[in-house]
Amino acid sequence: PEGSDLKGEFFLHTTMTDAERTALIQGHQLFRGGDKMQAASGYHEHWPHGRGVYHNPEKTFVNWVNEGDHLRIISMQY
């Protein structure tokens, strides 16, 4: 809803820019992928399709979509 603390933006792995990806990884809002153990299990078979991250402007509400869980909801307080 308009004015909500949870309103934000969704970034798909397949469409985000390199600058967005780098900023999200450095800010710890984005999972990297490419873990050797996960790759050995076939986890990354369709990487990066169907995966992304959502966060509000303050980055206190973050959702990882299809990282290891279908949806991981992260609430952070600074």
Side-chain angles (χ1 to χ4, degrees):
E2 191 66 36
S4 171
D5 291 340
L6 306 180
K7 184 177 180 178
E9 188 172 356
F10 184 72
F11 300 88
L12 277 171
H13 265 284
T14 53
T15 60
M16 71 177 68
T17 66
D18 288 339
E20 288 171 331
R21 182 176 290 104
T22 298
L24 289 167
I25 289 172
Q26 289 177 348
H28 304 284
Q29 287 87 38
L30 183 66
F31 47 94
R32 294 173 189 247
D35 178 271
K36 289 180 184 180
M37 295 298 284
Q38 290 175 343
S41 73
Y43 175 82
H44 298 299
E45 184 176 339
H46 301 289
W47 185 266
H49 301 286
R51 292 170 171 87
V53 63
Y54 172 93
H55 66 73
N56 65 345
E58 296 79 22
K59 299 179 180 152
T60 55
F61 181 68
V62 179
N63 292 296
W64 287 355
V65 178
N66 292 327
E67 182 259 347
D69 307 310
H70 290 291
L71 177 65
R72 183 176 298 183
I73 300 170
I74 304 164
S75 176
M76 302 170 75
Q77 185 176 0
Y78 296 101

